[in-house]
Amino acid sequence: LGHHTIVKHAAGLRGGTTVEEHNRWVINQCRSVGPTKHTLWWILGDVAMEIECLDLLQELPGQKWLVLGNHDQFNIDVYAKHFQRIFGGSKRYGFWITHMPLHPTELRGLNNVHGHCHRNSLADDPRYFNAAIEWLPSQRPVSLDFLRKHWNL
């Protein structure tokens, strides 16, 4: 959110021709999966380039957990106002959850759901699932059940 160059970097892969249109498109894509107050959102980093854009997350019901990304540069207190949990990465549900893909030698037998990669992906390696919105089916968030089925967990 608030990423002024993502419209150029991911042209044709994401919605919106301005940062404001892109912000609205991202929120609408998230809301399109029918979240409820029981939804747990894992945001895999680079959540907002402008502090005020974090307020858009209020439009998503449920808990929000953040895995910090390389562009998440605000003070941790800023993120704590919008997220219930904040991680550098996490090993849960039988796989790694990170912003950047882990090096293959660090997978230790597990798969890796990650963000970060917009134009390039590790799509040819079944151990990785790129959750950057432009790589997701229908460009919409996926569920934990979807990932478990994807990896036969």
Side-chain angles (χ1 to χ4, degrees):
L1 302 171
H3 194 319
H4 290 274
T5 58
I6 196 69
V7 176
K8 178 178 67 172
H9 290 312
L13 301 176
R14 291 174 172 233
T17 58
T18 67
V19 69
E20 292 80 13
E21 288 176 2
H22 177 262
N23 290 348
R24 181 57 30 215
W25 177 81
V26 169
I27 295 299
N28 288 343
Q29 291 300 96
C30 292
R31 290 185 60 80
S32 74
V33 298
T36 71
K37 66 180 181 178
H38 303 290
T39 299
L40 173 58
W41 297 96
W42 279 89
I43 310 294
L44 303 188
D46 295 353
V47 63
M49 301 299 201
E50 300 171 350
I51 289 176
E52 57 273 6
C53 289
L54 288 167
D55 291 337
L56 293 169
L57 296 172
Q58 294 174 17
E59 297 183 37
L60 303 178
Q63 283 199 29
K64 293 154 203 80
W65 290 8
L66 174 64
V67 176
L68 290 168
N70 56 301
H71 291 294
D72 294 321
Q73 302 295 314
F74 305 125
N75 186 299
I76 199 75
D77 294 342
V78 171
Y79 297 109
K81 293 176 186 174
H82 302 277
F83 294 92
Q84 288 72 42
R85 302 279 309 267
I86 301 170
F87 304 86
S90 184
K91 183 173 78 171
R92 290 176 188 261
Y93 317 118
F95 52 87
W96 294 101
I97 305 168
T98 61
H99 172 63
M100 293 181 189
L102 290 176
H103 189 277
T105 61
E106 296 300 320
L107 291 174
R108 299 184 179 136
L110 300 178
N111 297 311
N112 181 200
V113 60
H114 65 87
H116 184 68
C117 301
H118 301 292
R119 284 280 181 194
N120 301 313
S121 184
L122 299 166
D124 57 333
D125 189 328
R127 299 173 296 177
Y128 295 92
F129 185 89
N130 188 346
I133 198 165
E134 60 267 28
W135 289 95
L136 295 174
S138 302
Q139 298 179 315
R140 297 165 29 150
V142 297
S143 67
L144 176 59
D145 286 339
F146 177 94
L147 290 171
R148 286 181 170 146
K149 288 176 187 171
H150 176 76
W151 283 317
N152 297 313
L153 298 177

